Amino acid sequence: MQAFLKTGKSTAGTGDKSQGAPAARRKLPAPWVEKYRPRNVDDVVEQSEVVAVLRKCVEGGDLPNMLLYGPPGTGKTSTILAASRQIFGDMFKDRILELNASDERGINVVRTKIKNFSQISASSVRPDGKPCPPFKIIILDEADSMTHAAQSALRRTMEKESRSTRFCLICNYVSRIIVPITSRCSKFRFKALGEDKVIDRLKYICEMEGSCYRLKGPEHVINTADLFEMSGVIPEYYLEDYLEICRSGNYQRLEQFVREIGFSAYSVGQMMEQFVEFIVDHPGLNDPQKATICDKLGECCFRLQDGGSEYLQIMDLGCCIILALK
Amino acid sequence: MALWVDKYRPRELSKLDFHKDQAANLRNLCKQSDFPHLMFYGPSGAGKKTRIMCLLREMYGSGVERLRSETMTFTTPSNRKVEVMTVSSNYHLEVNPSDAGMYDRTVVIDLIKQVAQTHQIEISGQREFKVIVISEGDELTKDAQHALRRTMEKYVATCRIIISVNSTSRIIPAIRSRCLGIRVAAPNETEIVSILQNTCKREGLALPVELAKRVVDKSERNLRRALLMLEAAKVAKAPFTANQEIPDLDWQVFLRETASQIISEQTPAKLEKIRERLYELLTQGVPPNLIFRGLVEQLVNNCDMSIKAKTLEFATEYEHRMQSGAKHIFHLEAFVAQFMNIYKSSFLSWS
Amino acid sequence: MSARKKTWVRCAFSEMNLTTSPAPSESTPEKRTRSASNVSSSRVPRSRTPSINTKPVQIPDVESVDLTAMDDDQDADITGPPPEVKENWMESFEPATSDDLAVHPKKVGELRDWLRHCEAVRKKFPAQMCLLTGPTGAGKTATLRVLAKEFGYQLQEWINPIDCEVVNALGDQTTGASYVGSHLEAFKSFLLRASRYKSLLDSQNKRLLLVEDFPNVLLSDKEVNFEELLEEYTAYGKSPLVFIVADAKSRGLNISYRLFPDQLKAKHRIEHISFNAIASTIMQKSMKTFCSVMQQNKATYKVPSTAVVDSIVVGAQGDIRNALINLHLSSLKGVSSMPTKQLNVSVSAKGRKKKMQSTLKSIGRDESITLMHALGRVLNPKFNEDKTMLHSPEEITEAFNTEPRNFVNFVYANYLPHFKEIDDVVTAIDDLGLSDCMLNEYRDDNLSVMGLNVAIRGVMMANTCPVSGWMPVRGPKRINIQPQATLAEQRLVGVAYAGIARTLYATEYSSLVKLIAGKLGDTTSSQSTDSKQVF
């Protein structure tokens, strides 16, 4: 390990920079995810309302305290980074403190690091004389994993430093943020991306990357079995088999089938997600049956998300379906 | 002297015995200069680790096979020292953060920061990044996974992460969406049989097909287990015969006995004895979720459907609680007590 | 409240019998925490007729003042009740002879034996050491004083000097070292010099050093070597030395545990006598004697009712000093009779029926119940006639809300034998599991208390037909995952061993590798024997 670490000089901070300007310095290998992060609020895909509000803010040169929430991968972090880059230009680095769950973020950090940063005064002119908004932004990524104590400590700081600092909290679950904080922020909800927007963006990226991908075309990419395989989607016939076996009411067969799923390494969580739609649209079930099954399905999904065992959850679901279909 | 499992482990992507299409895809992936984070998922003994090592070899050459093991020490924010064993080469580092228990967050973050902040010195022809292999990724706490998610993005220029998990269900969506998932299904029966026979051939032994099939059955399509069982069987009785005994995993035997004890008597006194046995299993390092699963599989055998359904309902509930609790034994015992109660009352009403 | 009470008692108590020798260096004024300010005579006699002067009167002839046991007081050969009781009223209740002591005679005997031993070896090894431990109010100091008097020793006590601390607080002396030094120096010189040089005014020539007040540096600073100090004392000291340490609940605070490890005690032959809390029967007896003393003081006291006395004894929980204060307070004239509250006390032993007792509402000692008591209350819940619980779960929860996890573990380890029916067990373990989850939720502090309550209440209510009989209490088990592989097995697995997760190794490798490695060892050894046969 030591030798492993010593092979090169430490170049701390390259990671940081690659986010903002991935290809600016020597062409570092960066995944497309980083390379095609939007640099501008208008580049942000979908979230039109949020973008509209933010654009106004950027034009006015001011930002409210913000709380961005929504499912992962909808561009929350990208949006705020892009917005602040537009507002601050080159001074972007100095005016932003980004903290995420990988940094220590207990109550002490709120008390020291955040406070110290928020107390630095920010001038209203850039070094080159252009005007610039006189505040800094603190981005608290993954704010829902902050402890309640730290959140409570934060709310006082937010008020006290409101003249010179804007806070931007990013989270997946807004319910995990304490109410005093949400009431101090303007909330922006990011919705899941629509299919066509994704295709547009992928097309654009493919064009940028060169011709080899253009031949196939993005629609093709999205619908092939290959990509299904990559994203872990389970083939439809598994779901049909599952329901069929449950209909037969044979526990042994159910167990056999569940083992088979395990061997084939498909994710039970994924399967349950697909199963919801499958059940809801299924013509062969009556409404009470659907209700019973979906009720159980919800419970099992929740437990699974919370770390429950795959085998037990899907067996439980299976038993429930067997009883419901009897 | 090495175990067969290691001795005959394929070292190159082209030499893999099954999932050959996937192997070809992986080779294509290596040809490109860039490379995303990867997540290998599949059941235990399906060959995830083998594929990861082959992939690394494909990228860095045989240098990755010069392994050394080292114990690294991390200091948690609460000033506690945590020791974690690692296996590393010049190009990669393999770690089991789950061994650090609840301190895995510190391990993951510190490790990645350390590795990511160092550069490869000889860039010529080599990759500009190192690889961190995190095995048993699904044992990572939610806390550690959250920490990992941003760190992965932050240090993407200097390091790539390969996570090996049994199932993606326990991985938070944020990590799943940041990794390219590679599904490694367990080999099917014929594949395992042919691998076993090849192995025996190279060892100069004859393996009857019946025995091979029985090994496959017993190993639950777990290749590693199958090979270990076969080797243990060989040690017990050198020229193979078709009906020779195949050694069991002792914790499974122990669990089966425990289950039959639960069926035999349903009293608090018995429960007390069961508790001792559960403690025994836990001290041996058998993870509690496996105990849960094993118990359920054994217990429902002789019950009718309504009891089965009830048992599973309680099993899921207590197993879920166990995940949010700290004392696994509480919840295991709660399940056993609950089952005893169901079984006893159904037995009473039946007779 | 209780703290204030304590110092007041201490003062009152120590006023009488203790000769204080302040730290010998003249420059250090003493801090009067535990004893009154008069550095006075050799032996302050205990007089049953407290003088109007608060300063103890010196009465040289000890025998004449020495009173017989209190029980004799009923015989009317008393000089008559004093007109008034002074602030140091406690002196009227001081034990004078070893018979007066409420301490168990065996413990008194032990201490007496030690003092005899000191006498015997006084010429050769004067620096004997002894450590007295026990709960507060068990009569450690009183016993020592009485016996010291009996043997004709003069007590000299170490009192923490105050000046060093003051200097430090003002910040005049910034360096901690000099502070530590001066404080410790003073202590050292007390130990070494107080035993050698006697006061000019003093007629006694036998002295007994007493350390009840340990210098803080000894406790806070690991660097300061208490052992060295003791070694020096064994070499140069000229008098027996007694340490008195009150038991503390937590180990960290426990002086006897921290300062006197076993090997130290063995090395310096420190006699360790540990006192127990005073038994309620003995306490009752001494309360009676106190009452009789009060009867002679009709101007000040009214005689308390037996109910009140009983409840005081119960409330004091073996702390005689506390009992005495309560008695004094409750029997002062002009005080309305104390309100009492119901309290069940498990004073009974050996299956005798527990009886209900009442305790004083306002002045009972803080009811601290031990873990074992609380466990008993949870596992064998008692009900009143109207089916309400005798001990409310909230009470128990409150007593243990600082360490909920520990208590729940104890309940878990012990609940099973108390249950007869499996469906009761289900309810109980269900609640225990729930409480485990709640305790594990770190984001909300209140949740841990709720979790503890759930566990306690759940187990108390679940048991519909408890098993009676005595069950030994078991401590909670900790799961220590055993070391995994032997060296041979590790070698077999090779360098990759480090990369295998512990759980994976346990489930997949362990048993099979054991087989392989074991047989390998056998075969290699058998091969070697084979080869021997060939040769």
Side-chain angles (χ1 to χ4, degrees), chain A residues 1 4 100-101 264 310, chain B residues 70 105 130 150 167 169 183:
Chain A
M1 178 66 209
F4 176 46
N100 58 55
S264 64
E310 288 192 319
Chain B
E70 228 167 304
R105 181 176 178 279
K130 287 177 182 172
R150 191 76 190 114
S167 135
S169 300
R183 186 171 67 92

Side-chain angles (χ1 to χ4, degrees), chain B residues 96 225 235 276 318 331 333, chain C residues 412 415 430 436 508 519:
Chain B
N96 261 313
R225 204 184 281 176
V235 165
E276 294 306 315
Y318 288 121
H331 307 280
E333 186 170 311
Chain C
Y412 170 74
Y415 83 100
D430 192 61
D436 173 51
E508 294 293 329
K519 288 290 163 137

Side-chain angles (χ1 to χ4, degrees), chain B residues 50-65:
Chain B
T50 309
R51 274 161 187 73
I52 292 172
M53 287 314 290
C54 291
L55 186 74
L56 290 175
R57 192 191 148 99
E58 189 82 21
M59 281 196 294
Y60 295 109
S62 55
V64 284
E65 281 168 9

Side-chain angles (χ1 to χ4, degrees), chain B residues 49 70-72 74 76 80-87 94-108 111 133-141 144 284-287, chain C residues 481-482 484 496-507:
Chain B
K49 193 68 137 313
E70 228 167 304
T71 308
M72 290 181 75
F74 299 93
T76 66
R80 186 186 281 263
K81 290 259 188 297
V82 182
E83 286 196 343
V84 175
M85 302 252 271
T86 61
V87 176
E94 190 187 325
V95 67
N96 261 313
S98 58
D99 282 351
M102 57 187 292
Y103 302 107
D104 54 354
R105 181 176 178 279
T106 317
V107 172
V108 168
L111 193 72
V133 180
I134 296 178
S135 29
E136 308 285 312
D138 37 4
E139 297 293 325
L140 285 176
T141 57
Q284 255 158 34
V286 181
Chain C
I481 294 182
Q482 288 156 359
Q484 299 253 301
Y497 175 74
I500 301 169
R502 267 179 237 158
T503 50
L504 186 70
Y505 190 85
T507 50

Side-chain angles (χ1 to χ4, degrees), chain C residues 378 389-400 407 452-458 460-461:
Chain C
V378 172
M389 270 186 267
L390 196 54
H391 304 287
S392 85
E394 277 69 31
E395 229 171 70
I396 302 170
T397 309
E398 207 155 287
F400 288 92
F407 192 75
L452 178 61
N453 199 342
V454 165
I456 289 174
R457 191 171 273 272
M460 282 173 92
M461 293 306 291

Side-chain angles (χ1 to χ4, degrees), chain B residues 100-233:
Chain B
M102 57 187 292
Y103 302 107
D104 54 354
R105 181 176 178 279
T106 317
V107 172
V108 168
I109 299 309
D110 284 6
L111 193 72
I112 295 180
K113 280 187 180 160
Q114 277 182 37
V115 172
Q117 287 171 357
T118 58
H119 260 249
Q120 294 282 53
I121 201 155
E122 25 173 354
I123 302 173
S124 56
Q126 301 285 4
R127 312 280 160 156
E128 292 178 21
F129 49 81
K130 287 177 182 172
V131 173
I132 296 177
V133 180
I134 296 178
S135 29
E136 308 285 312
D138 37 4
E139 297 293 325
L140 285 176
T141 57
K142 286 270 147 61
D143 207 20
Q145 293 189 31
H146 276 291
L148 189 59
R149 101 191 211 193
R150 191 76 190 114
T151 320
M152 280 168 88
E153 281 185 348
K154 216 168 169 177
Y155 297 107
V156 75
T158 45
C159 89
R160 293 290 183 280
I161 290 169
I162 298 180
I163 310 177
S164 146
V165 301
N166 283 338
S167 135
T168 53
S169 300
R170 283 200 189 173
I171 302 293
I172 59 170
I175 297 225
R176 259 187 277 167
S177 89
R178 280 167 175 78
C179 297
L180 178 63
I182 293 168
R183 186 171 67 92
V184 185
N188 62 30
E189 191 177 334
T190 43
E191 282 165 344
I192 301 183
V193 167
S194 80
I195 291 169
L196 291 183
Q197 279 180 325
N198 278 338
T199 308
C200 284
K201 207 181 282 168
R202 285 158 81 177
E203 277 287 312
L205 291 158
L207 176 67
V209 183
E210 294 81 23
L211 183 65
K213 283 199 170 141
R214 278 174 52 222
V215 170
V216 175
D217 252 14
K218 206 156 203 176
S219 66
E220 298 171 23
R221 281 174 62 182
N222 179 335
L223 185 55
R224 170 180 44 230
R225 204 184 281 176
L227 280 167
L228 281 168
M229 277 178 172
L230 193 67
E231 190 174 354

Side-chain angles (χ1 to χ4, degrees), chain C residues 380-393:
Chain C
N380 287 314
K382 294 280 177 291
F383 293 90
N384 297 327
E385 282 88 44
D386 54 346
K387 298 281 176 208
T388 53
M389 270 186 267
L390 196 54
H391 304 287
S392 85

